[in-house]
């Protein structure tokens, strides 16, 4: 968690740092970490018995939840300043939904998909 906090802070600074992080493989590693089986919540359901069509962040009871939020924040920061990172993240719908969830967008998405069957995006 501490390391991901440092990377999140570094990714706030400038384009050079974000590009260096991306070219060092941080983007791919963080995407892998967000998707790891340890992060998938099997007890959380959406719209009754249907599950949401994207990877969720860990359940609040999981000890790695804070690290996952920091990872998602880092990816968002890096994508704002590094075109290669932005392209990588933008080509992955599941990742986009996970990043939206990290910023509180899950409730809005679920509201629209459950009521109207149309996603926010």
């Amino acid at each position: 968690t501490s390391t991901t906090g440092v990377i999140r802070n570094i990714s706030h600074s400038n384009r050079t740092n974000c590009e260096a992080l991306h070219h060092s493989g941080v983007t791919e590693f963080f995407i892998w970490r967000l998707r790891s089986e340890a992060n998938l919540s099997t007890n959380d359901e959406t719209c009754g018995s249907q599950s949401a069509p994207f990877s969720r962040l860990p359940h609040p009871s999981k000890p790695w939840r804070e690290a996952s939020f920091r990872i998602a924040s880092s990816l968002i920061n890096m994508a704002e300043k590094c075109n290669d990172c932005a392209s990588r993240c933008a080509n992955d719908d599941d990742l986009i939904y996970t990043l939206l969830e990290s910023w509180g967008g899950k409730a809005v998405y679920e509201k629209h998909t459950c009521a109207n069957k149309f996603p926010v995006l």
Side-chain angles (χ1 to χ4, degrees), residues 68-82:
S68 296
F69 273 93
R70 290 180 182 188
I71 288 169
S73 297
S74 297
L75 282 173
I76 291 167
N77 291 340
M78 290 169 57
E80 288 176 347
K81 296 175 182 78
C82 174

Side-chain angles (χ1 to χ4, degrees), residues 8 20-22 27-28 33-35 46 49-51 59 78 81 96 102 106 108 112 116:
R8 184 193 61 204
L21 288 169
H22 175 75
T27 302
E28 291 301 325
R33 180 62 186 94
L34 283 175
R35 291 211 168 143
T46 311
S49 63
Q50 300 175 5
S51 61
H59 188 270
M78 290 169 57
K81 296 175 182 78
I96 290 171
S102 76
K106 178 183 174 186
V108 173
H112 285 278
N116 305 327

Side-chain angles (χ1 to χ4, degrees), residues 70-100:
R70 290 180 182 188
I71 288 169
S73 297
S74 297
L75 282 173
I76 291 167
N77 291 340
M78 290 169 57
E80 288 176 347
K81 296 175 182 78
C82 174
N83 292 334
D84 293 335
C85 179
S87 294
R88 172 61 181 94
C89 292
N91 287 323
D92 189 330
D93 291 342
D94 291 337
L95 177 62
I96 290 171
Y97 288 121
T98 302
L99 297 177
L100 282 173

